[in-house]
Each structure stands twice: as C-alpha cells, then as structure tokens.
Amino acid sequence: MPRKPFVPGAAVVVAAALAAGLTGCTGSSSPDSDAADAKSGGAATSSPAAEPGRYQTLPEACGLPSRGVIHRMLPGDGQALSDTEAQKVYGGQADITYDTDRRVGCRWTRETTAGTRHLGLDIQRVVSYDSAVSDDDKAQAIYDKKELAAQIPSGGAGSPSPAAPSPSASKSKEKGEGVVTNDATDKSATDQGTTGKSSAGAKGKAPSGSPSQTSDPSTDPSTDPSGSTAPRVLDDLGDAAFLNDKLVTADSGVHRDVTVVFRTSNVIVKITYDQWSTDKTMLPDSQELQDKARSLATELSDSLSE
C-alpha cells in the first residue's frame, strides 16, 4: 500500500493548537489569584526591628574619669605620696568581667588619718534580644528596677516612696542594719552584716552591718525637710538618673554612702562613693560627697556623649 504524503503545514497547525490549549489550562492568572497566594504566606511581610542602642562598645573604666576629679574625690591628709603609691591610689583597680563590651568597672581607695574613702564605677551596656524592644527601652526597664529597689521618691524630693519596703527590709531598718549600695548584680541587700564591705573588713574594721549599727536621724539625708540632700531623681543628668544617700553608724565608726545611677541611651552607669571615719563626732558631709559624686557623673555623661 502506498504511503500517505507528509504535509509539513498540518503538523505546524496541530502543534500550535496544542500549545494554545496548554497555555489556556495552566498559564492563566489574575490579580486576585496573586493576592490569594500572598495572603496564604507566600510573601509574608515582617515588621521592622527595634532601633539598636547608640553604644556598641564600652570605654576602659579606670581611665574614663579625669585624674583631677579622682584627686578631689580621694583627698589626702597632707602626706605626700610616692609615684608608686600615687599610681596605686589614683590608677584604680579594674573589675574582672567576662565581656568588656558589655560591662566594665573600676575601684579606687584612699586611706588617711581622717578616714577612708572608696569610689566605685560600674558601666553596663544593655542589648535587647527582642526584635520588638529597642536597646534603649530595655535599658530603661533595668534602670527603673534600680530606682524602685533604692526606693527613690518619684513625686519630688522628700515625698513618700512609691513602693513600700519589704518585710525583711523593715526588720533590717528596725535593727539598724546597713544597706548595700555597691552591688553590681543590682540586688538590694538589707543585711550588710552578711555581705559587708570586704575592703573595710580586711583592714580590721567591724562589718558595717553589726547588730549595734544605727542610723542617725539628725544627719540622715532621707529626713532632710528641704530635700536638698534627700534621695531624689536628678533631672539634669543623662536620659534618667537618681541619687541615693545613706548615713550609718556602727561600733567601729560612721560611714556615709552616696550612689548616683544614670542612663544614657543603652548604657547604665553606677557611681558609689563612701567615706568612713572611726571618729563618730566627725560625720561625713552629705553635701560634699553628693557634689563630688554628681560632678563625676556629669563628666562621665559628657564623655560618653562625645
């Protein structure tokens, strides 16, 4: 039987028809179908991450305060220091930390015949790992806890504390026990007989939290009716700041502890400054210590803002 002749034109027509049919079945799309795909999770939109803090690193703590400020805060008694002694006193002792980009600190001590002064500096950089919470907001939350723990009046100097003290704190106050203000872990300890000041205890001084330790109302800044030296919020320092002042007497003598805490962006700075005297008639001056602590805080805030 003879073969049928091959017609190229017919094959082209059939192929074109098949292609058109496939396109009509599978290639048609509309804006509505694209919208449906997007809603089903094909192109999900994510909310922008919260703003990072201004600070990504921290300075070296012992070298941050100027030498002149350290000299004023740790005055001598007229006795000259050798170069080695001066370096030991004014150079400071750096805190041991595991991540110097997250936390640094330094301590200074000066002993004189009139007593001993201690200065402490703790700087913490806060990082929020919650994409919905900025570093600054996280730092503010930590600062708020510090202020609440210190029971700083929020309605102006001399106003009642916003939070009532815990039962353990009330018992400690009745017994005359001291308050630890230099606590890097930010825990308010009311039994300083347990925690104490290691540097003072090592020098033969009785722990500041001994059972006979009492606070003198006549020189306690918390009872200052004018509010000039009372624990209070500071409006002219950083983004938020407060000052605390405690005077405590013990069998071994008397000491005043001044604390200034402030926040600038995602960094929280804590300054602890105290003066110890074995002579109970020589009470450390509240105004002097506060002025010097605030002067240092202002210098640090300006330095960090540069």
Side-chain angles (χ1 to χ4, degrees):
M1 180 182 295
R3 293 184 179 181
K4 294 181 179 180
F6 175 72
V7 183
V12 172
V13 173
V14 174
L18 290 174
L22 292 174
T23 302
C25 294
T26 62
S28 63
S29 62
S30 67
D32 292 339
S33 64
D34 289 341
D37 290 341
K39 290 180 181 179
S40 65
T45 58
S46 58
S47 58
E51 288 292 328
R54 174 179 180 179
Y55 303 98
Q56 302 300 314
T57 60
L58 290 176
E60 194 275 317
C62 292
L64 190 59
S66 65
R67 185 59 66 95
V69 169
I70 298 299
H71 271 270
R72 290 192 293 272
M73 299 185 76
L74 304 176
D77 52 5
Q79 298 181 359
L81 297 175
S82 66
D83 292 343
T84 302
E85 291 172 332
Q87 178 58 36
K88 181 179 180 181
V89 171
Y90 301 119
Q93 179 65 45
D95 290 348
I96 298 175
T97 59
Y98 296 100
D99 186 351
T100 55
D101 282 337
R102 293 294 300 277
R103 197 159 202 156
V104 293
C106 193
R107 300 288 178 267
W108 295 264
T109 301
R110 179 73 189 271
E111 295 184 24
T112 68
T113 56
T116 302
R117 297 199 187 198
H118 303 88
L119 172 63
L121 175 60
D122 179 82
I123 307 176
Q124 176 185 3
R125 184 175 70 89
V126 179
V127 177
S128 172
Y129 295 100
D130 186 345
S131 60
V133 179
S134 68
D135 292 348
D136 284 21
D137 289 342
K138 179 68 174 179
Q140 182 63 40
I142 295 175
Y143 166 86
D144 290 341
K145 291 181 180 179
K146 292 177 181 289
E147 184 178 310
L148 182 62
Q151 299 184 2
I152 303 299
S154 60
S159 64
S161 174
S166 62
S168 59
S170 300
K171 292 180 181 179
S172 297
K173 186 175 182 181
E174 292 173 1
K175 294 180 181 180
E177 295 175 348
V179 178
V180 176
T181 58
N182 184 11
D183 183 4
T185 59
D186 194 39
K187 294 180 180 179
S188 294
T190 55
D191 186 2
Q192 197 168 355
T194 301
T195 57
K197 283 185 176 287
S198 59
S199 58
K203 303 181 187 305
K205 295 181 180 179
S208 59
S210 57
S212 61
Q213 183 177 356
T214 58
S215 180
D216 186 351
S218 64
T219 53
D220 188 342
S222 64
T223 62
D224 177 13
S226 68
S228 60
T229 59
R232 61 197 182 278
V233 170
L234 302 176
D235 297 326
D236 57 350
L237 180 62
D239 296 318
F242 71 83
L243 180 148
N244 204 3
D245 189 328
K246 298 291 183 182
L247 176 69
V248 182
T249 58
D251 290 341
S252 59
V254 61
H255 66 92
R256 182 180 296 281
D257 305 326
V258 173
T259 305
V260 176
V261 177
F262 71 89
R263 178 186 74 83
T264 173
S265 185
N266 61 321
V267 165
I268 299 175
V269 179
K270 181 178 181 180
I271 298 170
T272 54
Y273 184 39
D274 61 70
Q275 180 178 354
W276 292 66
S277 174
T278 56
D279 186 352
K280 294 182 181 180
T281 63
M282 296 179 61
L283 299 179
D285 183 74
S286 179
Q287 193 67 60
E288 179 210 350
L289 297 181
Q290 288 193 22
D291 288 347
K292 291 182 176 180
R294 291 189 64 179
S295 177
L296 173 59
T298 300
E299 177 183 291
L300 296 180
S301 178
D302 292 343
S303 178
L304 289 170
S305 299
E306 291 178 353

